[in-house]
Amino acid sequence: MATRTDAPTRREQILKEAARLFAERGFHGVGVDEIGAAVGISGPGLYRHFAGKDAMLAELLVGISEQLLTGAKRRLAEAEGVAGSGAGAEAVLDSLIEGHIDFALDDRPLITLHDRELDRLRDADRKMVRQLQRQYVELWVGVVREVYPAVAEPSARSAVHSVFGLLNSTPHLGRPGSLPGRTVTAELLHRMARGAFAAAGGE
């Protein structure tokens, strides 16, 4: 989603508008016809791409969890050559924070959707989201403990969840135009995230 640079497919356009509408008005407050109208096709035409709204919601929430985990693994792999040193681990942590900030600033409707609608997923889809999220958290915990070896695993995990809460607060920061600008906001969030981890590490 936020990381794509090529033109979105029709399926991706549908998902983007569905996420926006679901976040603004709630899952049950949006009809298939309205989603179709937002992308210029008839409501029934959506069924060529998705079985229904439930399928859209599942693909949105499972999909973003997969993207976050895949992106984090990629960042770790890219830094593998230097991750053994203290400086390398610091760089990996900064890279993870940057990746999550990109998500938090560019996919704000998905954060709202996750908070409000996760329980509407089928059990299997909800379990998949939780499983992917646990893997994502544990990946971060490992990196945090490389940077701050004195931090016990439970404390590192709590710090990671706290930082996610901080970064995922972006839907509550006001309308996009009221923020100081993407670059400034991203830098502020990054400093706050590193400050939280430093505090957990006793610095």
Side-chain angles (χ1 to χ4, degrees):
M1 293 180 182
T3 58
R4 289 184 62 94
T5 56
D6 51 337
T9 65
R10 176 51 60 93
R11 187 180 181 87
E12 289 168 333
Q13 291 173 342
I14 293 169
L15 286 173
K16 180 178 179 180
E17 290 305 315
R20 180 182 64 81
L21 290 168
F22 292 159
E24 288 177 356
R25 293 158 49 192
F27 181 74
H28 288 304
V30 178
V32 171
D33 289 342
E34 295 168 277
I35 299 171
V39 294
I41 62 177
S42 66
L46 288 180
Y47 293 107
R48 292 197 297 271
H49 302 276
F50 297 96
K53 289 198 307 177
D54 289 339
M56 294 180 208
L57 182 64
E59 185 155 336
L60 284 165
L61 295 182
V62 173
I64 193 57
S65 297
E66 289 175 336
Q67 285 186 36
L68 285 170
L69 179 59
T70 299
K73 288 180 176 179
R74 185 187 68 249
R75 288 169 181 271
L76 278 179
E78 290 171 349
E80 193 173 26
V82 293
S85 67
E90 294 267 4
V92 174
L93 182 57
D94 283 332
S95 182
L96 289 177
I97 293 171
E98 289 166 7
H100 199 98
I101 287 173
D102 285 343
F103 158 66
L105 292 178
D106 298 335
D107 290 312
R108 293 167 68 183
L110 287 176
I111 297 174
T112 301
L113 199 59
H114 178 278
D115 290 345
R116 293 179 182 171
E117 312 291 356
L118 180 63
D119 288 343
R120 299 193 188 281
L121 293 180
R122 295 180 307 166
D123 286 345
D125 292 325
R126 187 167 59 252
K127 288 177 181 177
M128 176 60 71
V129 169
R130 295 300 193 195
Q131 180 182 23
L132 292 165
Q133 290 175 339
R134 282 194 296 272
Q135 292 179 54
Y136 185 59
V137 168
E138 294 310 308
L139 187 151
W140 277 66
V141 169
V143 175
V144 169
R145 296 195 71 204
E146 280 193 65
V147 178
Y148 303 103
V151 178
E153 186 174 307
S155 296
R157 191 171 294 110
S158 294
V160 169
H161 281 291
S162 296
V163 167
F164 287 171
L166 165 69
L167 301 182
N168 292 347
S169 68
T170 53
H172 310 293
L173 296 180
R175 300 181 63 84
S178 67
L179 298 179
R182 192 189 190 287
T183 300
V184 174
T185 301
E187 290 173 351
L188 174 61
L189 289 172
H190 197 122
R191 288 197 303 273
M192 293 175 72
R194 284 306 303 261
F197 286 132
E203 295 185 3

